[in-house]
Amino acid sequence: QVQLVESGGGLVQPGGSLRLSCIASGSIFAIDAMGWHRQAPGKERELVASLTNGGKTNYADSVKGRFTISRDHAKNTVYLQMNSLKPEDTAVYYCNVDLWMFLGGQLQNYWGQGTQVIVPS
């Protein structure tokens, strides 16, 4: 099996910064894309940022210029550096990973359990 463990969430004042981490472990042959989604109360889950194995990034318009996604291939870890945080960034942030469990297997998608980020107004 595969486990995704997120960390780094918390309470931060507007304008502050947080760095989220997500470590993928278990039966992993290779990882393709890694990313972060978020879900605010009463809203649908939305993509925040993604990063392909080849280094291509994609950001939600609302976070461009403030958030940066990166990954450590050797550690199967993806990070989300969040700067200039705003109250509207308040949400549960979920790590999302596309990976192969074995050579020749199908690409599978996994989600973490989520980490809460709170930016009070």
Side-chain angles (χ1 to χ4, degrees), residues 30-95:
I31 293 177
D32 189 12
M34 305 183 84
W36 293 92
H37 289 66
R38 68 186 180 187
Q39 187 166 18
K43 295 187 177 182
E44 294 186 354
R45 191 173 296 189
E46 63 174 357
L47 173 69
V48 176
S50 64
L51 176 58
T52 68
N53 195 37
K56 181 179 179 180
T57 57
N58 183 36
Y59 293 95
D61 288 341
S62 59
V63 307
K64 285 180 180 177
R66 299 189 298 123
F67 290 10
T68 302
I69 188 170
S70 61
R71 63 192 279 183
D72 185 327
H73 292 263
K75 296 180 179 179
N76 288 343
T77 301
V78 62
Y79 305 97
L80 185 67
Q81 178 66 43
M82 305 186 294
N83 299 328
S84 303
L85 281 160
K86 305 175 181 180
E88 49 264 43
D89 295 318
T90 294
V92 177
Y93 284 71
Y94 297 91
C95 174

